Amino acid sequence: MIGSSLSRWTMAFFTGAVIFLIAAECLMVAGYGFPAMAAEAPETLLLVHTVTIGWLSLLMCGALLQFVPVLVVQPLRDEILVLPALLCLLAGLTSLLAGFLGLTGMLDTDIPFLLIGGCLLPIGFGLVLWTLGRTLWQARPLPLPARFVAVGLTCLAATFLLGTFFAHILSGLISDAVMIDFRTKVLPVHAAAGFGGWLTFTAIGVSYRLLPMFMLAPDAERTTNHIVWWSGSIALLSIIMGAPVEFILAGSARIASVIAGLSAMVALVCYGFDLFFFYRNRKRRNIELNSKSAIGAFAALYLSAALLLNLLATGTFANHAGALIYLVAFGWLTGLGLSQLYKIVPFLTWLECYGPVMGRKPTPRVQDLMVERRDGPWFVLYFAGLLGGTVALLADAPNLFRITAAMTLLATAAIVIELVLARRLFNVAAAVRFPEGTTRPHLFLPAIRNH
Amino acid sequence: MSDKPRESLAESVRQSLRMVIDPELGENVVDLGLIYEVSVVEVGVVHVEMTTTTAGCPAAAYLRDAVGSAAGIVEGIERVEVGLTYDPPWTPEMMNADARAHLGFGRKAAGR
C-alpha cells in the first residue's frame, strides 16, 4: 500500500497535550509561577515544563506520528512502541512535576520524583525518536520537509539529555557546584535546542508540506526553502555544539552566538518569503479557519524575532526574556498548534467514522464537523490575550498578565470544547450523523477497526 | 460488448463515484479530477485508475476502498479493479469547474 494510515495513538497524545495546556493556563491565571514568582522558582519550572513537555512536546509527538509517514510516503515503523512511549511520557512528566512540587515544599515525600521523571521522560522520548527515526532512515533520501524533522528530532535528543542532567542535579545526585555553571551556560542551550530546534524547526518543516496541501499552493522546492534548512541547521549546530566547545576553549561563546543569531535571522527572513509565497500563490482562495488563524501564529513568530532584536539592542534581554519566551511558546507555537488541531482533529475523526462507509453511504463533509463562523472569534480572542499578556510582561504588570491569561484560557477552553464536539459529531445533522456501518469514534482511544 | 454500452456503463460508474468525497477538500473525487480513468475492460468488469491529492495521504486506503464500493453498486458491474497511481501527480488544475468554483479556485484568475 502506498502511503500511510491513521496513527492509532495520535488522538491520545493530543488529548494529553490539551489537558496540560488548560492546566498551565489555569496556573497562569491563578498567578502560579512567573511572572508573579521568580523565573528560577520551582513553581516556574513546574509551569514551564507543563507547557513545554506536557502541551507542546506531546502535541508535536502526536502530530509527527501521523505526519512523518505522510512526509516520507512510508508506513510508521515499530508502531507497537508508541503506546509505551506515551505512557512513559505521561508518567515521567507527572513525576517531574511532582518533583518540582516537592521543591516548592507543597509535597513532602521521600520518593525521588525528579529522578524518576528524569529517567522515564528520556525513555518515552527515546521510543518516539526510535519510531520516527527508523521511519525517516528507511525513507532516505529524505524530502526537504522530512529533513527539517530529522534536525528537529536530533535537537529533541539534545534537549532531553540536557534535561535529564538537570533533573539529576536538582535531585542532588550531582554536586551543586556544577549547577552554577550549568544554569548560566547550559540552560540557554537546553532552551534553544528545545524551543528553536525541536519545536520551531520541526514545525517549520511540517508547515512546508501542510500549508501547500491545505491551501493548494505550489509545493515545488524553492531555493529559499533550502536556505531556511541550511541556515537554521547552522544556527542550531552553533548553539548546541559550537557554544559549549568555544566556552571550554576560550571562556566565552561570543562567536558561536553571533553565528547562531545571524544564521537564525537569515532562516527567518527566507521562511517569511516562503510563507508569503504560499499565501499569495494559493489556488484555494476560500481558505479554512486553520489557515487563517495560523497567520496569527506566524505574526507572533516575527514579533518574537523583532522583540529579541530590540531587547538585545537595548541591553534589556535579561529583564524581559520571560516576555520573549511567552510570545514564542504561546504566540508562535501554541497559536500554530491550536490552529492546526482545528483542522487535524475533525479530519482524523471523519476518517475514523465515515472512512469505512465511504462509497457505500452518503457522508457529510469534514467541514460539516465544525462551525467556522462560530469558532473564528475564539482565535481572535486568543491572539488578543496573547498580545496583551506579552505587553503585561514587558511592563512588569503581573496582575494585568493574569487578566490577559484568563482571555487566552477562555479562548483555549472554547476551542477545546469545539474539538470535543467535533469528536462527538455534534455539529453533523442527526439524520446523517451515523449512517449504518459507522462506528462512533472514541474521544481519544483508538478505534478497534483501523485501516 | 460494443463501444456505446461500455461508454454508458463507464459514465454510470463515474456518476456513482461522485458519492465519494475527498475528506481534505470536501469535494467529490470525480470533480476534483482524482479519477484518471474509468474503463470497462470486459463484461461486468471495470477498471478505475485513481490518485489522491497528495502522496502518502492517510485517507488513501479509505478512498481506494470507497471508489471500489461505489463503482461496484452500479448495475451491470460484477468486479471492480482499482489502481492507485501518483504518475502523473495530481495538481489543482485537474479539478473541474464545479470543484474550482466551490474552492474559490477561479476567482482570482477571473478577476484579472
Side-chain angles (χ1 to χ4, degrees):
Chain A
M1 178 67 212
I2 303 171
S4 57
S5 58
L6 286 183
S7 160
R8 287 176 59 76
W9 295 103
T10 283
M11 279 308 307
F13 273 87
F14 287 170
T15 304
V18 294
I19 288 171
F20 281 112
L21 172 61
I22 297 275
E25 290 182 336
C26 287
L27 290 177
M28 290 192 294
V29 173
Y32 191 89
F34 186 83
M37 298 171 182
E40 63 277 8
E43 289 85 350
T44 303
L45 288 177
L46 186 147
L47 180 60
V48 166
H49 288 85
T50 302
V51 174
T52 53
I53 299 177
W55 157 234
L56 293 171
S57 291
L58 283 183
L59 174 75
M60 187 62 86
C61 287
L64 290 179
L65 290 166
Q66 180 63 65
F67 286 111
V68 162
V70 177
L71 295 180
V72 298
V73 198
Q74 293 270 339
L76 190 69
R77 309 283 163 169
D78 299 328
E79 197 178 357
I80 197 168
L81 299 177
V82 173
L83 179 58
L86 175 61
L87 295 176
C88 283
L89 289 173
L90 290 175
L93 179 57
T94 307
S95 187
L96 188 74
L97 299 181
F100 290 139
L101 267 185
L103 292 178
T104 67
M106 272 189 69
L107 187 66
D108 188 14
T109 173
D110 291 334
I111 302 171
F113 278 120
L114 280 174
L115 193 60
I116 296 170
C119 292
L120 283 176
L121 284 171
I123 294 173
F125 280 125
L127 291 173
V128 172
L129 272 178
W130 173 267
T131 306
L132 295 174
R134 264 206 77 204
T135 307
L136 291 172
W137 186 260
Q138 299 283 342
R140 289 166 301 144
L142 294 176
L144 189 63
R147 275 188 271 153
F148 277 90
V149 175
V151 173
L153 291 176
T154 309
C155 291
L156 169 63
T159 309
F160 75 65
L161 285 175
L162 292 173
T164 304
F165 200 45
F166 269 121
H168 281 70
I169 289 171
L170 289 171
S171 25
L173 287 183
I174 299 175
S175 110
D176 278 356
V178 182
M179 191 173 173
I180 298 164
D181 247 355
F182 212 75
R183 262 192 189 151
T184 54
K185 304 302 175 196
V186 188
L187 184 58
V189 177
H190 178 63
F195 278 114
W198 160 230
L199 296 168
T200 293
F201 210 59
T202 308
I204 287 175
V206 174
S207 76
Y208 274 122
R209 185 66 191 270
L210 290 188
L211 287 177
M213 211 162 90
F214 290 157
M215 298 194 293
L216 299 179
D219 62 354
E221 290 180 8
R222 302 162 66 233
T223 308
T224 44
N225 307 165
H226 289 271
I227 294 174
V228 174
W229 187 83
W230 276 105
S231 51
S233 299
I234 289 169
L236 292 166
L237 190 67
S238 300
I239 281 292
I240 296 169
M241 300 289 287
V245 169
E246 188 188 352
F247 185 80
I248 291 167
L249 296 178
S252 85
R254 196 167 297 163
I255 297 173
S257 302
V258 169
I259 292 172
L262 291 176
S263 304
M265 286 301 156
V266 170
L268 278 177
V269 169
C270 288
Y271 184 54
F273 281 120
D274 290 336
L275 289 174
F276 185 75
F277 176 83
F278 287 141
Y279 277 90
R280 177 81 180 79
N281 294 290
R282 69 185 193 273
K283 303 284 189 200
R284 186 179 195 172
R285 305 315 295 173
N286 306 334
I287 53 174
E288 295 169 302
L289 183 54
N290 65 303
S291 299
K292 289 178 194 164
S293 52
I295 294 171
F298 297 130
L301 174 64
Y302 287 93
L303 266 180
S304 306
L307 179 60
L308 172 64
L309 290 176
N310 183 272
L311 295 180
L312 290 174
T314 55
T316 54
F317 179 80
N319 299 334
H320 296 306
L324 179 66
I325 290 172
Y326 177 71
L327 190 54
V328 171
F330 284 88
W332 155 234
L333 295 167
T334 301
L336 190 68
L338 286 174
S339 299
Q340 298 319 304
L341 276 183
Y342 190 81
K343 174 76 185 180
I344 295 166
V345 170
F347 179 79
L348 297 180
T349 305
W350 191 95
L351 274 185
E352 270 182 65
C353 186
Y354 301 113
V357 299
M358 231 194 330
R360 298 181 185 88
K361 310 273 181 189
T363 56
R365 301 179 317 147
V366 175
Q367 290 82 350
D368 297 332
L369 271 61
M370 308 302 276
V371 184
E372 290 199 355
R373 209 179 317 165
R374 185 176 70 204
D375 303 337
W378 296 121
F379 283 98
V380 174
L381 179 68
Y382 179 84
F383 285 110
L386 176 274
L387 273 181
T390 307
V391 171
L393 289 175
L394 288 170
D396 291 325
N399 287 332
L400 176 62
F401 177 77
R402 290 176 63 181
I403 294 169
T404 59
M407 289 167 67
T408 57
L409 171 63
L410 176 64
T412 305
I415 293 166
V416 169
I417 288 170
E418 293 294 345
L419 296 177
V420 172
L421 294 180
R423 288 295 291 171
R424 310 318 292 174
L425 289 314
F426 179 82
N427 296 316
V428 178
V432 293
R433 193 175 292 160
F434 294 115
E436 191 186 341
T438 52
T439 310
R440 180 191 291 263
H442 300 300
L443 197 54
F444 60 89
L445 292 174
I448 295 169
R449 178 174 52 185
N450 197 10
H451 244 286
Chain B
M1 190 184 267
S2 70
D3 281 348
K4 192 161 184 189
R6 279 179 189 237
E7 280 175 15
S8 168
L9 199 54
E11 185 51 35
S12 298
V13 170
R14 280 190 169 274
Q15 283 303 323
S16 184
L17 294 184
R18 289 180 192 277
M19 185 174 24
V20 181
I21 294 172
D22 176 80
E24 208 289 293
L25 294 174
E27 302 297 329
N28 73 70
V29 292
V30 176
D31 287 354
L32 286 173
L34 296 174
I35 303 300
Y36 284 171
E37 185 189 356
V38 177
S39 54
V40 179
V41 289
E42 57 185 270
V43 177
V45 181
V46 67
H47 178 85
V48 181
E49 195 70 9
M50 65 170 291
T51 190
T52 58
T53 53
T54 182
C57 172
Y62 291 111
L63 283 167
R64 193 178 64 170
D65 287 357
V67 163
S69 300
I73 61 174
V74 173
E75 195 177 335
I77 298 296
E78 292 164 8
R79 188 156 62 86
V80 183
E81 299 166 353
V82 183
L84 186 61
T85 181
Y86 291 95
D87 183 23
W90 179 83
T91 66
E93 285 73 18
M94 293 176 179
M95 292 189 287
N96 72 10
D98 286 347
R100 289 179 184 216
H102 283 137
L103 295 170
F105 184 91
R107 193 176 299 165
K108 189 182 167 196
R112 277 181 175 171

